[in-house]
Amino acid sequence: MEEEAREEPGLDRSSPRDFHFYHADLYDPEDRLQIFPEQNVRVRRAVVQAEMSHEPRGAGDDKVQRDLQEEVDELVHLYGLEDDHELGDEFVDENLPTMGVSGYPAHMMDRRDPAREQRDWRLTGELAEAEDLGLGGWGLAGQCQDLREAYRYTHGRASEEYECYVIPEEEDEEEAVDVFCVTCKTPIRAFQKVFEEHKEHEVLPLNKALESAKDEIHKNMYKLEKQILEMENFANHLEEVFITVEENFGKQEQNFESHYNEILETLAQKYEEKIQALGEKKKEKLEALYGQLISCGENLDTCKELMETIEEMCHEEKVDFIKDAVLMADRLGKFLKTKTDVEISAQPDFEDQTLDFSDVEQLMGSINAVPAPSAPVINPQAPNSATGSSVRVCWSLYSDDTVESYRLSYRPVRDSSPGKDHAEFTVTVKETYCSVMKLVPNTQYEFWVTAHNRAGPSPPSERAVYMTAPSPPIIKTKEIRSCEEAALICWESGNLNPVDSYTVELTRAEGPEAPGVTESVVGIPTCESLVQLQPGQSYLIYVRALNVGGPSTRSQPATVHTAGSYFHLNKDTCHPWLTISEDGFTIIRSERKTPAREPPPSDARFTRCVAVMGNLIPVRGRHYWEVEVDGRLDYTVGVAFEDVPKQEDLGANRLSWCMRHKFASPRHKYEFLHNGTTPDIRITVPPKKIGILLDYENSKLSFFNVDISQHLYTFKCQLHQFVHPCFSLEKPGCLKIHNGISRPKHVTV
């Protein structure tokens, strides 16, 4: 792919654009560029014939010279050299010294450099050809030089004084490509959008185009993975059907052969006819299945090849990657549009081939009976062989017994004790596999199988325990916490029995179409996960549960926005006098009469200070939220460690940093409390909405008046642990919290 993308046919990057060189070792003389008209060639031949016949030149010589001079003048006019006096002087200089055999003046033969010698190798061949025609020393030296210079010029070479007149285009290495033309689907430089053919085209920044290309590749990779898994399962199924059909017909052939070998010669003709018909039927089905198996294998190889090519592309540079990605996207699109045949062309069932033995009933009575088959061998559970309500069971028969059907029995395993009395279920099939439906998710079942023919059943196989896939987990949407860089997802298992692990799948919520999985976090042992995300994006979060039977289906999606820090209030810390609204973002203290006694002390719940804490995501970085307040309320807002003493006021210890407001009409008193102390700061404009910025990186906690974009105060904090937002109401009223929002421009760090 890389070579295909970089090597463009017909383009030589080492030579000037639109300028072709014709090499003599690649082209025959008749294919070379001819600068002299055919008429001039005839003149040269006439001169040679005149010299060979010793005819006097006289007027004929003058005529030839004039023709040659006209040809040179025509070439000068053709290439626009009328104003080039220096080059013109060289053309008409008749005082040049005598030319050597190689086309150089005699006094310059000793100073020819290898580069010029290589440059004039074709010219030397032309002069040698002229000498063969008897023109090597004919005419004036200046005219011969003129012809040589004209020949050089038309072949991309100039005279010694002008041999650099062809200036190759220098590739612009200083300015790299920095935008992507959506119309042309190619990377370009920014000035090309302004001045060149891409002026009216739609362009994107290269990073955004790269990100879009990666998303498209990820989507196609997810589709490829899904198709590969489907094709692998279908190939396994097809192979099992193929083997079953072959075994069944083989058993049938052996059965007929053993019978007909014991029948008298009168049955030989029936034997031959029956075997031939059976063979044709077998050949027809096996050929159909084999052809379908080959086609399936080819499609599977193509999928894997595309997957490997995509993985190689991911290690390329940005420009090469995006070039290859455009081609790969088209190729993937075409391939994924091709319909894959996943329907079995020939079923493994077979018609019972019976014979009319009425005329030889006595002979048939003497035929030995077919023995009952031996016990089948049930296979262990294969990976990803189960869903939440079904499981695929496979077994084998290693003996040469004739089998007409199999009977699969199963029952659930309760309390990890197989063999107890539970309801049993039975399924009869003709293949060596069976997909059992209507099962309970994340539950173990024991299976055993018996083989049957006309002589009776076989002994039961050993018992094997299979397990169904789990039920999909249930995401706790009201407990999701997020910031600009991550999200903490919590969920319930949804299964009575434990599962092996969980997988979190992330998709970009960019449009109405469901995009492919962009990232998966696997092997999660517990029911929560901290997932790294990109800022300013919207994600759909899914969770799967996994056990030995395979993965569950996706959970219901949860939406996460990484525009800002998003958290809920922790009801376990809420003072009994406070009420949290249903949406979880409004704190209310009622007008009801305050109880005479305070609540009993608690390590988790505030008892003295009428407060509640928020549950901020444990990620170091920058977190911003806003609190809508009433200027007539007495309130406190800020942050505190989780183990802040719940029997003390906020800001009265080293574990909390707060802004407190007290209203005594008409005065507003503001304090910025930490360890019981506050600086002397006066605020002239009472804020109606307070912005709070927690900056772990710089160990700062800042407060802002949002309405007038005013900075109020900044604490320098020693944040050795994670802190959480805290809110307090000392009088009846309410506080409304706004989170999950981007930082305003006036909020700086």
Side-chain angles (χ1 to χ4, degrees), residues 475-692:
I475 298 178
K476 300 177 181 179
T477 55
K478 292 188 176 181
E479 297 184 16
I480 293 178
R481 293 174 277 169
S482 64
C483 61
E484 293 182 351
E485 302 169 353
L488 183 62
I489 312 299
C490 303
W491 59 87
E492 295 178 355
S493 172
N495 297 274
L496 297 177
N497 299 322
V499 300
D500 294 342
S501 64
Y502 298 92
T503 297
V504 175
E505 297 178 353
L506 314 176
T507 67
R508 295 281 182 88
E510 296 176 342
E513 297 183 358
V517 174
T518 58
E519 185 179 355
S520 295
V521 182
V522 300
I524 303 172
T526 61
C527 290
E528 70 174 23
S529 177
L530 184 64
V531 183
Q532 299 298 320
L533 303 175
Q534 295 295 325
Q537 301 292 333
S538 295
Y539 292 87
L540 293 177
I541 309 293
Y542 303 88
V543 181
R544 296 181 190 265
L546 289 88
N547 63 12
V548 67
S552 70
T553 58
R554 281 179 167 183
S555 66
Q556 291 296 319
T559 303
V560 172
H561 305 283
T562 55
S565 298
Y566 180 83
F567 60 88
H568 288 273
L569 296 173
N570 188 351
K571 295 182 179 180
D572 295 335
T573 66
C574 186
H575 191 281
W577 298 354
L578 295 180
T579 303
I580 299 176
S581 63
E582 186 176 352
D583 62 5
F585 299 114
T586 302
I587 305 168
I588 304 170
R589 181 171 179 175
S590 309
E591 293 283 354
R592 63 187 177 185
K593 185 177 180 181
T594 303
R597 292 189 307 168
E598 293 184 350
S602 172
D603 293 334
R605 185 185 299 273
F606 285 98
T607 55
R608 177 179 177 182
C609 178
V610 184
V612 64
M613 296 184 71
N615 206 359
L616 194 64
I617 184 172
V619 173
R620 292 189 176 272
R622 298 184 181 94
H623 303 273
Y624 178 79
W625 63 93
E626 296 175 352
V627 184
E628 189 175 334
V629 299
D630 188 340
R632 295 171 295 178
L633 292 179
D634 291 354
Y635 58 85
T636 303
V637 295
V639 299
F641 289 112
E642 187 174 3
D643 56 349
V644 64
K646 304 301 189 296
Q647 295 79 31
E648 298 181 8
D649 291 334
L650 294 174
N653 48 61
R654 295 180 177 272
L655 302 181
S656 58
W657 296 261
C658 299
M659 171 183 173
R660 183 167 67 182
H661 170 257
K662 289 186 177 181
F663 176 70
S665 181
R667 296 182 57 191
H668 297 269
K669 181 180 179 182
Y670 293 91
E671 297 176 308
F672 294 91
L673 295 169
H674 173 63
N675 200 22
T677 62
T678 179
D680 185 12
I681 295 178
R682 299 181 183 273
I683 298 176
T684 57
V685 179
K688 296 181 179 179
K689 184 181 289 186
I690 301 172
I692 303 174

Side-chain angles (χ1 to χ4, degrees), residues 20 41 67 102 173 185 214 222 235 240 283 293 296 315 337 460 510 516 540 607 617 627 631 656 726:
H20 304 278
V41 176
D67 292 339
S102 62
E173 298 181 355
K185 296 183 178 180
K214 285 184 178 179
Y222 175 70
E240 291 173 0
K283 180 180 179 181
L293 185 60
C296 178
H315 298 287
K337 288 180 181 178
E510 296 176 342
L540 293 177
T607 55
I617 184 172
V627 184
S656 58
C726 53

